[in-house]
Amino acid sequence: MTTQTALEPDHATLDSERATDSERVFPPAALPGAAIAGAALGLAFIALGAVAVRDIAVRANWLDGQAWSVTAAQWIADLQWQNWMWPAAVGAIVVGLVLLWIAVKPRRRTHLALAGGDGMWTRPGDVARRCSAAVSDLPGVLDADTVVTRRKLTCTVVVRSQVADRALIDSTVAAVAADLLSPPRVVVRLRDRAPRSIR
């Protein structure tokens, strides 16, 4: 009589694979600028393709007229250097440098890394909403508005100064910022409102 037992998972192997996978994950980023430039160039090439199809139809006597590509080639061949070509040449160089920079510049990161685990991100807007909600629940707080960037968290709090605890508000905002892998600089601004403004 033989019995079969389930193999226990190798936790060391799973941990190493998880670490390797987290290193391969790229942080969320915005659409690369090259995508927009590429789409514009793609439309330009589609237009050139339409011109080529039209010229083929002309050569096959399906359409009347002269091939546009031949006309453009003859016009270019007859050109001579003129003063207006200097700005055109400089403009072409500038456009080329801009396209080169768009192709190589890093993509803008859209999310912030969380300190609770590898490969976990959140949006700045979500951090701002969480901070505002946490501060709004504190005694003496009438309203809270938070703006979060990669380097700075600014929380503007409308309070009743007789009831609100500045130290508690500061610690609450700091606790929300501490959930991020790279906590931003925290700025808390208090605005006092008279009791009659309470709704």
Side-chain angles (χ1 to χ4, degrees), residues 134-154:
V135 173
S136 297
D137 290 338
L138 299 178
V141 175
L142 304 177
D143 190 19
D145 184 30
T146 308
V147 177
V148 178
T149 62
R150 296 188 60 83
R151 298 181 179 180
K152 187 177 180 181
L153 186 153
T154 304

Side-chain angles (χ1 to χ4, degrees), residues 124-172:
D126 295 333
V127 178
R129 281 187 286 270
R130 181 184 175 195
C131 183
S132 297
V135 173
S136 297
D137 290 338
L138 299 178
V141 175
L142 304 177
D143 190 19
D145 184 30
T146 308
V147 177
V148 178
T149 62
R150 296 188 60 83
R151 298 181 179 180
K152 187 177 180 181
L153 186 153
T154 304
C155 186
T156 303
V157 187
V158 180
V159 299
R160 281 193 301 168
S161 58
Q162 297 85 353
V163 182
D165 185 352
R166 175 60 186 262
L168 181 58
I169 294 175
D170 290 342
S171 62
T172 301

Side-chain angles (χ1 to χ4, degrees), residues 26-177:
F26 295 98
L31 187 72
I36 301 175
L41 291 176
L43 292 176
F45 282 118
I46 290 175
L48 289 177
V51 171
V53 172
R54 188 259 181 197
D55 289 350
I56 292 174
V58 170
R59 294 294 298 271
N61 294 326
W62 296 341
L63 294 176
D64 296 332
Q66 189 174 2
W68 290 348
S69 58
V70 175
T71 303
Q74 292 176 350
W75 179 75
I76 294 174
D78 294 337
L79 280 179
Q80 295 182 356
W81 185 262
Q82 299 180 17
N83 291 333
W84 65 266
M85 295 180 179
W86 285 109
V90 174
I93 293 174
V94 172
V95 171
L97 292 176
V98 170
L99 292 177
L100 180 62
W101 166 244
I102 291 175
V104 301
K105 75 172 182 178
R107 296 168 60 183
R108 179 180 58 85
R109 293 188 179 183
T110 57
H111 289 61
L112 302 173
L114 291 174
D118 295 334
M120 298 178 62
W121 294 274
T122 185
R123 295 175 300 182
D126 295 333
V127 178
R129 281 187 286 270
R130 181 184 175 195
C131 183
S132 297
V135 173
S136 297
D137 290 338
L138 299 178
V141 175
L142 304 177
D143 190 19
D145 184 30
T146 308
V147 177
V148 178
T149 62
R150 296 188 60 83
R151 298 181 179 180
K152 187 177 180 181
L153 186 153
T154 304
C155 186
T156 303
V157 187
V158 180
V159 299
R160 281 193 301 168
S161 58
Q162 297 85 353
V163 182
D165 185 352
R166 175 60 186 262
L168 181 58
I169 294 175
D170 290 342
S171 62
T172 301
V173 175
V176 174

